[in-house]
Amino acid sequence: MASTAAGKQRIPKVAKVKNKAPAEVQITAEQLLREAKERELELLPPPPKQKITDEEELNDYKLKKRKGFEDNIRKNRTVISNWIKYAQWEESLKEIHRARSIYERALDVDHRNITLWLKYAEMEMKSRQVNHARNIWDRAITILPRVNQFWYKYTYMEEMLGNVAGCRQAFERWMEWEPDEQAWHSYINFELRYKEVDKGRTIYERFVLVHPEVKNWIKYARFEEKHGYIAHSRKVYERSVEFFGEDYVDENLFVAFAKFEETQKEFERVRVIYKYALDRIPKHQAQELFKFYTMFEKKFGDRRGIEDVIVSKRRFQYEEEVKANPHNYDAWFDYLRLVENDADPDTVREVYERAIANIPPIQEKRHWKRYIYLWINYALYEELEVKDPEKTRQVYQASLDLIPHKKFTFAKIWLLYAQFQIRQKNLQGARRVMGTAIGKCPKNKLLKGYIELELQLREFDRCRKLYEKYLEFSPENCTTWIKFSELETILGDGERARAIFELAIGQPRLDMPEVLWKSYIDFEIEQEEFENTRNLYKRLLQRTQHVKVWISYAKYELSINGPDRLQKSRQIFEEANKGMRSCEEKEERLMLLESWRDFEREFGSESSMDRVRELMPDKVKKRRKLTAEDGSDAGWEEYYDYIFPEDAANQPNLKLLAMAKMWKRQQMVDEDEDNENGEDNDEKSPEKSPEVAEETSPPPPPSDEPAAPPENDSERNAENETEEETKDGDRDDSSSSDNDDGGKKEKERKSGEDKE
């Protein structure tokens, strides 16, 4: 128990840090270093200087130092710096034998240490022990042959000693290990310093085989050129081109070869080299090649040569594009446009054949639209440029055989083929082509093209037959009916034209009936058949009550010279107004009234003008509730509505609206009068009695009978919108019509309300 108690007492108590916040003054590492520098805590006093006066003291000093070095080595033999310091100390005392012994002991510890070998050899060279140094270098390159520094030092020492043969022998031993490029260049430069050009050439032969790179072949060729061996240099370039072949070709090699030939004034050889290279190097790797070729042609070539450079560059670019994506028809078009301008017909045909061989993989018309133009351009090239009709006919026929006509066709190529046959004076062939087209795949464009073709040939009977076929194929096409009737009109057969129009308007389905009726009416007007025109308008109005038809009918009656033309036109406007009362499109009804008003303004009297003005609607602002797609409430929106006087009598809620507007206007007038009276009374007496104030207060709004509850939704919406409409009443009322009309309406409304 006592021991445990003593043990517990020995354990120090850990102080609990209550405040763990950072100190107010922080000490940085920079501050600590600065203080240490200022106080010079790390500076040690220099050791005392020792003066040696006799040999005994010197021996004691040497013994002490050697003992210290040996102790350091004994502590850690692998620290080579201790060995080097020991050996250098012995070297400083001219104790070469002891230093050599120390280096040898160190090499036994670590014979792969490069620094140790270098220090050892440098000591022997400083002490002029050449054989010892040579022996050390030989041992070093034998043990570590991949350390280039040993070889450089060794060869440099031999060359400085004038031992050229020994230096060459060292280089040869080095080259057997196939070192990097700089070692070979050092060997070559060594031979060139002693004018051994042939030996340098031999070294280059071995060098380009050990390091087969383009830059090394170029250096070899420039070496030959520098020493005046032009034929050898050209041969080196040719050997390099053969050595690399077409798989590992490089633009730098050809550029250097071309520059060499350019310095030798062999311009044709330069041009051949550039063209040979451009045909074999990919475009993205031949940018510099194109650049130097262009510069060469600008300096030594003619205009044709410069154009050839540009054309060859672009042709190479297009070849790369079509190789990457054979179905890129835009690239084929650009390529064909280029070769058509500069190449011979056989080359152009070969490119066309390559292009049309890339058939779209999917039989959908949108994929064939660009492709079919390759065939069209091919046929036009054969016809216009090469002047070969038979080849053109073959191209057209091949293209038509290729297109899947059961799924889709191209009317353009049928029409071009037929026009080509006509240019070749083969009318029967052209008709046969168009007949085949209509039989295989009838289309609007084909039928129109065939009809235009026969029209140009003045074959009107054939045109009639074609129109009949066309209308059997597409009876709802109004344009065809109109063109057919125009043809009969031109031929002077009005009855046939009228019969065609009658058949047309009797069709159950038409794509543009309004255009057809307008053409029929215009035809009758041109024929001056006014009664037929009126009947047409009446028949059209039985089918549709469109406002433009009424306006056109009224203008037609106005355009006919006659004593009662104004009356007839006015009568049409009145009928239109009555017929459009039930029309939900109030804008169209307003358009009719505006057209009527313009008519009366130009041809009518003041009374007729007033009558039209009375029919003009009021423009009011309303609100309506919006509903989202999911049925939720989307808020309210404002819109403008037109209230026609003729419809106002049928809506009781409009009476309440008018009374509210009138009350507000009367209230504003009374306020103005009170203000004027108040100013006059102020001039007479500054104080006013409460009785007078009560007398001059504005009267309350008129209290008529209580309004009946709304019967339908429209009346209920109108009552909800009464307040907003009364706020904007004056503005909307003034903007609905002219100022004169507004004044008259106000007077009439006042009188009507007073009577009520």
Side-chain angles (χ1 to χ4, degrees), residues 463-477:
C463 289
R464 286 193 179 103
K465 293 179 181 179
L466 287 173
Y467 269 122
E468 291 173 1
K469 293 287 185 183
Y470 194 177
L471 292 173
E472 289 177 5
F473 168 69
S474 176
E476 70 277 358
N477 194 336

Side-chain angles (χ1 to χ4, degrees), residues 455-467:
L455 277 175
Q456 293 173 0
L457 297 172
R458 298 297 185 267
E459 294 286 345
F460 300 116
D461 292 335
R462 287 183 174 273
C463 289
R464 286 193 179 103
K465 293 179 181 179
L466 287 173
Y467 269 122

Side-chain angles (χ1 to χ4, degrees), residues 108 121 264 276 360 371 457 481 502 509 595 679 695 746:
D108 290 339
Q264 305 304 319
Y276 176 86
Y371 170 71
L457 297 172
W481 290 102
E502 287 294 335
R509 288 182 56 194
S595 179
E679 291 176 0
E695 290 177 359
E746 247 180 63

Side-chain angles (χ1 to χ4, degrees), residues 262 265 267 270-271 294-302:
E262 185 178 339
K265 310 298 182 184
F267 301 130
V270 175
R271 194 170 284 111
T294 307
M295 292 170 59
F296 166 76
E297 289 293 348
K298 288 180 179 178
K299 287 192 292 186
F300 304 104
D302 52 2

Side-chain angles (χ1 to χ4, degrees), residues 530 534 556-568:
F530 302 128
R534 288 191 186 95
Y556 163 72
E557 291 292 352
L558 187 62
S559 64
I560 299 174
N561 293 325
D564 55 348
R565 63 190 185 101
L566 297 178
Q567 186 63 29
K568 288 183 178 180

Side-chain angles (χ1 to χ4, degrees), residues 107-222:
L107 289 174
D108 290 339
V109 174
D110 186 5
H111 65 278
R112 303 186 67 83
N113 191 292
I114 298 172
T115 306
L116 195 59
W117 287 104
L118 292 174
K119 295 291 184 181
Y120 191 9
E122 287 175 1
M123 183 199 73
E124 297 291 356
M125 288 190 292
K126 286 180 183 178
S127 59
R128 298 183 181 278
Q129 301 293 327
V130 177
N131 289 329
H132 280 282
R134 188 177 289 125
N135 186 20
I136 292 168
W137 289 127
D138 190 77
R139 289 165 58 194
I141 62 178
T142 303
I143 295 173
L144 301 172
R146 292 296 180 185
V147 180
N148 293 333
Q149 196 172 4
F150 293 162
W151 295 100
Y152 284 123
K153 295 276 187 180
Y154 189 15
T155 55
Y156 180 73
M157 184 191 76
E158 295 291 354
E159 189 175 0
M160 289 295 102
L161 294 173
N163 186 9
V164 178
C167 184
R168 185 176 291 114
Q169 185 180 2
F171 269 119
E172 287 294 333
R173 289 177 61 189
W174 191 8
M175 296 303 113
E176 290 177 0
W177 291 95
E178 296 182 357
D180 56 6
E181 299 174 4
Q182 186 60 39
W184 291 92
H185 291 312
S186 299
Y187 190 13
I188 293 167
N189 293 334
F190 163 75
E191 296 292 354
L192 292 179
R193 282 196 292 270
Y194 297 97
K195 312 297 182 184
E196 297 288 347
V197 179
D198 293 336
K199 291 184 178 180
R201 183 180 297 114
T202 305
I203 298 168
Y204 260 120
E205 289 288 343
R206 295 162 57 192
F207 174 42
V208 296
L209 295 178
V210 174
H211 295 281
E213 298 178 7
V214 172
K215 61 180 182 179
N216 297 330
W217 283 95
I218 295 173
K219 289 178 182 178
Y220 184 15
R222 288 176 179 170

Side-chain angles (χ1 to χ4, degrees), residues 659-670:
M659 291 175 64
K661 290 182 180 179
M662 192 65 190
W663 174 79
K664 184 178 180 182
R665 194 176 296 110
Q666 183 65 32
Q667 189 178 12
M668 293 175 64
V669 172
D670 293 343

Side-chain angles (χ1 to χ4, degrees), residues 365 409-416 434 443-446:
K365 189 169 184 178
T409 189
F410 293 94
K412 188 177 187 67
I413 199 164
W414 288 105
L415 295 172
L416 288 173
M434 294 306 299
K443 287 183 63 177
N444 291 334
K445 194 172 181 181
L446 279 173

